[in-house]
Amino acid sequence: AQSVAQPEDQVNVAEGNPLTVKCTYSVSGNPYLFWYVQYPNRGLQFLLKYITGDNLVKGSYGFEAEFNKSQTSFHLKKPSALVSDSVLYFCAVRPSTPDSWGKLQFGAGTQVVVTP
Amino acid sequence: GAVVSQHPSRVICKSGTSVKIECRSLDFQATTMFWYRQFPKQSLMLMATSNEGSKATYEQGVEKDKFLINHASLTLSTLTVTSAHPEDSSFYICSASNRQGGGYGYTFGSGTRLTVV
């Protein structure tokens, strides 16, 4: 069975400190991996994705994520968190198998709270 | 960049009536669109995948007669919740597969908050 896990419901960090949001996955084949953010009562906004190539992916707003195949992880990181980073983060995976029809599977979401 | 417009953003309807939600890709052609449902403080659950000009593919457990999906053009997909009941109240989000720039991207609508009273 394919799955995406975000082990933390909430991450608390002080402004200026490094921020990490964890994501692990279990899918067949080589996955495509995504991070999105969601503001209250809004759709999802794209942060970054890994399709192939360099394992370190840089995205919007200073975020980056590292694809680790051996640990099946795709943790999201930011060197210095801002209060405005306090939103809901979703990790998503798309299996690369043809029968996946391009469907994304989402993790449960992690709420980030950055305190001033 | 790629934009998906979802309308309405909020709708309140009476139990037993039907509600239609529209999802439009404004500046690209979306051969595939996805419809999700999100309960409070929960993740997105895929309801169905719609491909332009063909029948939607529903996920297990989703009632296709209740959630009618039409994808008649490359820029428009609609979700109709038929004979709505209070348990259908939820946040519905559409997404369009977007291959602009050569990448595998997905653009999301801003969501529709459905409340059935």
Side-chain angles (χ1 to χ4, degrees), chain A residues 11-91:
Chain A
V11 169
N12 298 298
V13 63
E15 188 174 29
N17 282 0
L19 169 63
T20 298
V21 187
K22 296 179 180 178
C23 174
T24 59
Y25 63 90
S26 173
V27 297
S28 56
N30 296 315
Y32 304 151
L33 297 156
F34 302 80
W35 276 102
Y36 292 91
V37 294
Q38 185 180 31
Y39 293 88
N41 293 308
R42 302 288 293 176
L44 273 63
Q45 293 184 17
F46 172 76
L47 271 186
L48 50 79
K49 66 185 176 188
Y50 172 82
I51 303 299
T52 186
D54 194 350
N55 289 345
L56 184 63
V57 179
K58 293 189 182 296
S60 308
Y61 311 113
F63 284 95
E64 61 185 29
E66 184 168 11
F67 171 59
N68 188 318
K69 188 172 185 177
S70 63
Q71 297 186 4
T72 62
S73 67
F74 190 57
H75 301 330
L76 181 70
K77 298 184 179 183
K78 185 172 183 179
S80 178
L82 301 173
V83 172
S84 57
D85 295 328
S86 300
V87 292
L88 185 58
Y89 292 77
F90 285 103
C91 178

Side-chain angles (χ1 to χ4, degrees), chain A residues 34 38 41 43 94 102-103 107, chain B residues 38 43 59 104 106 109-110 113:
Chain A
F34 302 80
Q38 185 180 31
N41 293 308
R94 171 192 159 169
K103 296 187 289 188
Chain B
Q38 186 180 29
S43 187
E59 295 299 299
Y104 290 87
Y106 300 84
S110 56
R113 173 73 59 192

Side-chain angles (χ1 to χ4, degrees), chain A residues 6 32 34 36 38-46 49 51 88 90-95 100-109 111, chain B residues 10 32 34 36 38 41-46 49 51 57 59 91 93 95 97-100 102-111 113:
Chain A
Q6 292 180 243
Y32 304 151
F34 302 80
Y36 292 91
Q38 185 180 31
Y39 293 88
N41 293 308
R42 302 288 293 176
L44 273 63
Q45 293 184 17
F46 172 76
K49 66 185 176 188
I51 303 299
L88 185 58
F90 285 103
C91 178
V93 61
R94 171 192 159 169
S100 69
W101 291 93
K103 296 187 289 188
L104 287 178
Q105 185 159 352
F106 286 87
Q111 179 68 48
Chain B
R10 289 180 175 271
T32 303
F34 305 89
Y36 296 87
Q38 186 180 29
K41 299 189 182 299
Q42 293 191 24
S43 187
L44 281 72
M45 299 300 296
L46 180 66
T49 303
N51 292 289
T57 303
E59 295 299 299
F91 194 59
I93 304 174
S95 169
S97 176
N98 167 28
R99 295 201 173 188
Q100 283 186 342
Y104 290 87
Y106 300 84
T107 304
F108 287 80
S110 56
R113 173 73 59 192

